């Protein structure tokens, strides 16, 4: 081999070493950048936590537990007053105040018992066993349903009201 070729190989190896060194330098710089970014994020996080803690301290100084208890007592008192006012306004007055609830319930039970007894005493209506064929010219006339008496209507309205 020629001396010039050996010199070229030596320079090639020197360049390769230099490239490797530069690659290691770049890697160290990259690692250092990552560590600096992490340190910066940590510092910002700690600063934010300190700011939050200071803000909480300031808020707690502005509001103490005695003030909170006093405010809650006032709210409870006002709520109780409002309940009493609403109860007073919803109490029946005049003729409606004179009704005895137990007496009304007994009367309703009596009416329901009478209606049940009346239903049991009525004859049972059964459907025909087979349909009846009617010639085309004639149509069967159905009787009109019976109308309820005023008392039955009133009882039905009371029952519907009680079901609510």
């Amino acid at each position: 081999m020629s001396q010039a070729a050996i010199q070229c190989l030596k320079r090639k190896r020197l360049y390769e070493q230099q490239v490797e060194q530069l690659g290691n330098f770049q890697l160290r710089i990259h690692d250092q950048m990552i560590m600096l970014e992490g340190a910066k994020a940590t510092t910002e996080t700690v600063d934010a936590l300190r700011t939050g803690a200071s803000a909480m301290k300031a808020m707690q100084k502005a509001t103490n537990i005695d003030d909170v208890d006093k405010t809650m007592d006032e709210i409870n008192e006002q709520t109780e007053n409002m309940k009493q006012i609403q109860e007073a306004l919803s109490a029946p007055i005049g003729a409606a105040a004179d009704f005895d609830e137990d007496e009304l319930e007994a009367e309703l039970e009596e009416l329901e018992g009478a209606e049940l007894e009346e239903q049991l005493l009525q004859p049972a209506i059964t459907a025909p066993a087979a349909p009846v064929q009617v010639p085309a010219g004639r149509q069967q006339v159905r009787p009109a349903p019976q109308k309820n008496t005023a008392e039955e209507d009133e009882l039905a309205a009371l029952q519907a009201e009680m079901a609510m």
Side-chain angles (χ1 to χ4, degrees):
M1 282 203 196
S2 76
Q3 194 66 11
I6 291 179
Q7 288 296 325
C8 279
L9 282 175
K10 284 182 182 179
R11 275 188 297 214
K12 178 186 173 211
R13 285 190 180 164
L14 285 174
Y15 287 136
E16 286 174 351
Q17 285 177 351
Q18 193 173 15
V19 165
E20 188 177 330
Q21 273 184 338
L22 291 173
N24 286 338
F25 291 161
Q26 283 180 330
L27 184 60
R28 284 189 188 143
I29 290 171
H30 189 265
D31 285 346
Q32 188 67 33
M33 286 174 50
I34 289 173
M35 288 198 311
L36 285 171
E37 287 173 0
K40 181 179 178 186
T42 300
T43 303
E44 288 175 356
T45 301
V46 170
D47 286 344
L49 290 171
R50 282 186 189 134
T51 302
S54 296
M56 283 184 89
K57 274 185 184 179
M59 284 186 233
Q60 285 178 351
K61 284 181 184 177
T63 306
N64 64 34
I65 191 66
D66 293 334
D67 289 341
V68 172
D69 285 340
K70 183 180 176 185
T71 302
M72 293 308 295
D73 288 343
E74 289 173 0
I75 289 172
N76 289 334
E77 184 179 333
Q78 293 306 317
T79 302
E80 189 61 35
N81 288 344
M82 189 55 64
K83 283 180 184 177
Q84 290 175 357
I85 291 170
Q86 289 173 348
E87 285 175 11
L89 290 175
S90 66
I93 57 172
D98 295 336
F99 294 135
D100 180 17
E101 289 292 323
D102 293 333
E103 189 178 304
L104 291 174
E105 285 181 23
E107 185 179 342
L108 179 62
E109 285 178 17
E110 189 178 307
L111 288 172
E112 287 174 343
E115 181 183 343
L116 179 62
E117 188 177 309
E118 183 180 314
Q119 288 176 356
L120 291 174
L121 292 176
Q122 289 179 352
I125 299 173
T126 57
V132 178
Q133 295 293 330
V134 178
R138 297 181 181 171
Q139 290 201 349
Q140 191 172 4
V141 177
R142 296 178 187 237
Q146 291 182 340
K147 292 190 176 186
N148 292 343
T149 64
E151 190 174 279
E152 289 172 336
D153 289 339
E154 184 179 349
L155 179 61
L158 281 174
Q159 286 175 334
E161 206 174 297
M162 294 299 291
M164 290 181 172

